[in-house]
Amino acid sequence: MMLCKRYGSAGTLKNLWRCSGFRSPVYPSSCRSQNPPWVYTQVCCYVDVYMRWKKDSYYDSVEHIHHSIELNRVVSLKNCIARGPDGCIPISDVSKRGLEFGIPIKVARFLRLYPSVFEEFTGPQYSLPWFRLTPEAAEIDREEQRVCEEFKEDLRNRLRKFILMSKNRVLPLKIIQGMQWYLGLPDAFLHDPEKNLDESFRVVDVGDGLRGLAVDSQERVLSVLQKNALKRGLDPGDSMEAIEFPFFPSKGVRMRKKIEAWLMEFQKTPYVSPYDDCSNLDPDSDVAEKRVVGVLHELLSLFVEHSAERKKLLCLKKYLGLPQKVHKAFERHPHVFYLSLRNKTCTAILKEAYNDKHAIERHPMLRVRQKYIKLMKQSAVILKKRRTNNRVVKSKNVKDLDLDYVEEVELK
């Protein structure tokens, strides 16, 4: 069900024009405009649209999206262990870093939840528990490093586009680090700019003692929508080109006719690229609304899973020139985005990435993450087998004790 509010800007302008007593000067009819000024305003502008959320099991069942948060914690710990001397560390090295990794329980307990990834053993001193990677996890780690090295230029381009969408083409390093997981950048990618970044990147001072990363590039960047429009024969160079968003309605979603009419008109409005200047746009217009949807579409297309926690995206409002109520864009355009409520969080998913495999380029890190998730799932089987074995051992010990007791009674 859709709810809406109509803005009567055209009607207001029409009444003001009539009350003003304004009349066109005497010009030849061939030179005089035949249309009053309100004709050139947006007549159909349902920008305050809200759709009640509807569950879609297709998007809720995508494993690499909904295991992403837990995988991020596992990979962070994996990196700490892999960088340790001899590829192993004592628990004391990470036991007090749970908040840093976003782990809500004790780090030692978390490591023991994934015996398929982390192997525990007794250390050389004080009998402390130590951890190292299992052979399977170490092999995936080596593959991850190979992929990062092979596709370093691809990772650089995604980071470059992310920065180019911002105001003045500069972002604080802390903001980039906050989105590093979604962009698929390794933890150490920004620690060595000279090795991992090219000459188009500059480390700059952004004020308040913070450092940022800027991009110097005069090359015109096309968004995913513009590239796909070019394939269809449209001209993305035309700033007034009405590039349409691909719609993918979920089953059972119904809209009122007037909302469908607004969406059709919305599709016909000019498309403003996320990489173009938007300072002259009216924030209450459909063109500005389309630019917001375009920014979110392009942003999610850069990410590994083409999804992200909505609260993470809201942190980018100030830097990407998004309105204060940008979260409503997800609700107003359910044919473009899906909001998943799994894992006690709200995840924004780009529908096009999961309905048209050729529309958006696959991230090179996705296959590696899928392998990590598959390995993590094996932990449940290992832990279940351990519990079963423990029950069998305990049961056997109880029986042995009973038999010993019976023998003692008989001897007496």
Side-chain angles (χ1 to χ4, degrees), residues 324-342:
Q324 188 65 27
K325 296 183 179 180
V326 62
H327 61 277
K328 289 191 174 183
F330 295 112
E331 301 164 0
R332 288 194 290 259
H333 299 277
H335 295 348
V336 180
F337 310 107
Y338 175 70
L339 294 178
S340 174
L341 303 181
R342 282 190 59 180

Side-chain angles (χ1 to χ4, degrees), residues 298-313:
E298 183 70 8
L299 193 60
L300 292 175
S301 71
L302 297 176
F303 293 165
V304 179
E305 293 94 4
H306 306 301
S307 65
E309 287 184 88
R310 188 174 65 170
K311 63 182 180 182
K312 294 280 188 177
L313 298 176

